[in-house]
Amino acid sequence: ELLRSAYLSSLRLASAKGLKSIAFPAISTGVYSYPLAEAAHIALKTAVDYLREHTDIDLVRFVLFDRRTYDAFVEALKALL
């Protein structure tokens, strides 16, 4: 729930500030060793759910450190769509 809240708070703040785009890393998957597949699912589901309800943000970008992280996010996105 804390990870979801971090993404959701950031998205809400971006909307409140009138931003049209926002970029995220894979929060908590480095030093904090949060399980990558679960983190990817939480990040993407939170963003997708938010964007379905709020059309003010045009672009959410995930800036990912390596191929392993990228692949985890691709798989999580496939499962969501």
Side-chain angles (χ1 to χ4, degrees):
E1 189 57 35
L2 283 175
L3 185 55
R4 180 185 170 283
S5 179
Y7 284 106
L8 189 55
S9 294
S10 297
L11 289 162
R12 286 178 177 156
L13 184 58
S15 289
K17 296 288 184 180
L19 301 179
K20 294 296 181 187
S21 67
I22 187 169
F24 290 109
I27 296 173
S28 292
T29 61
V31 173
Y32 293 104
S33 300
Y34 198 92
L36 184 54
E38 185 178 341
H41 173 78
I42 291 168
L44 291 166
K45 180 164 179 27
T46 303
V48 167
D49 289 349
Y50 188 86
L51 294 173
R52 284 185 175 142
E53 302 273 326
H54 303 85
T55 58
D56 53 319
I57 296 177
D58 295 331
L59 174 67
V60 175
R61 179 169 295 173
F62 288 90
V63 182
L64 306 170
F65 180 72
D66 57 20
R67 185 62 186 214
R68 180 176 156 263
T69 306
Y70 172 83
D71 290 342
F73 271 70
V74 167
E75 290 305 310
L77 186 58
K78 285 179 186 176
L80 284 173
L81 301 179

